[in-house]
Amino acid sequence: MTTYGLKLLQEDSGSINSEFARVFYPENTWVDVNGNGAYMAITDGLTSGGDGPVLALLECERPTQASAPGGVTCFGRVRRIATSEWLKLLPKLSAYIKAEMAKWVGTPAKTLAVLATDENANVRYGVARNTSTPAKTLAELATDKDA
């Protein structure tokens, strides 16, 4: 089973933490991450390592045994998924990941429109509060008693 996680990055696609050697995550490229591995938000902890302007969705392999904040798992090998591919993966993603994508201002409009129809009210609520959500999607959400 494939594991997907979220990570915040700098605008140059590099890790936000510069305490150790920065790791860069180009789209659609497998990256081997030395040491503890890449700290990935799986069920929580997206901002546990700091805040960054780029939300990245990554496919994860080779979990390490490194200690990590709650909801975060470290992986030795990851591949950043291009934002244009997010729509294809939405059915496979956890409610936590979809809710974080719904809140992020850099999430593509088409993805936000699909997330606005998600069965999870928290996901729909995130879309409704996102300042990047298109007016048409917001109008559709206005009729949603849960969002």
Side-chain angles (χ1 to χ4, degrees):
M1 185 167 117
T2 303
T3 299
Y4 295 98
L6 294 174
K7 188 168 191 66
L8 295 175
L9 304 173
Q10 294 291 351
E11 289 179 2
D12 63 1
S13 297
S15 54
I16 58 175
N17 191 332
S18 60
E19 184 177 335
F20 304 102
R22 288 183 72 212
V23 177
F24 291 86
Y25 302 91
E27 289 186 342
N28 298 319
T29 302
W30 283 102
V31 176
D32 291 310
V33 183
N34 295 327
N36 290 344
Y39 287 76
M40 301 300 307
I42 305 298
T43 60
D44 198 5
L46 180 61
T47 59
S48 62
D51 201 3
V54 176
L55 178 68
L57 174 67
L58 292 96
E59 184 176 355
C60 308
E61 291 183 347
R62 296 196 322 241
T64 70
Q65 301 305 313
S67 178
V72 174
T73 302
C74 296
F75 292 89
R77 188 168 192 251
V78 296
R79 180 178 68 92
R80 183 174 170 196
I81 307 297
T83 54
S84 61
E85 300 295 313
W86 288 8
L87 278 175
K88 295 176 188 174
L89 294 173
L90 283 181
K92 297 179 181 181
L93 301 178
S94 72
Y96 168 77
I97 290 176
K98 289 190 281 187
E100 290 297 324
M101 291 170 87
K103 295 187 298 187
W104 208 256
V105 295
T107 299
K110 287 182 181 179
T111 303
L112 289 170
V114 172
L115 289 169
T117 64
D118 195 85
E119 62 186 36
N120 186 307
N122 289 329
V123 174
R124 297 190 311 274
Y125 181 73
V127 173
R129 295 186 49 96
N130 188 327
T131 58
S132 295
T133 299
K136 181 180 178 184
T137 302
L138 287 174
E140 291 168 2
L141 279 170
T143 62
D144 184 342
K145 64 180 175 39
D146 293 325

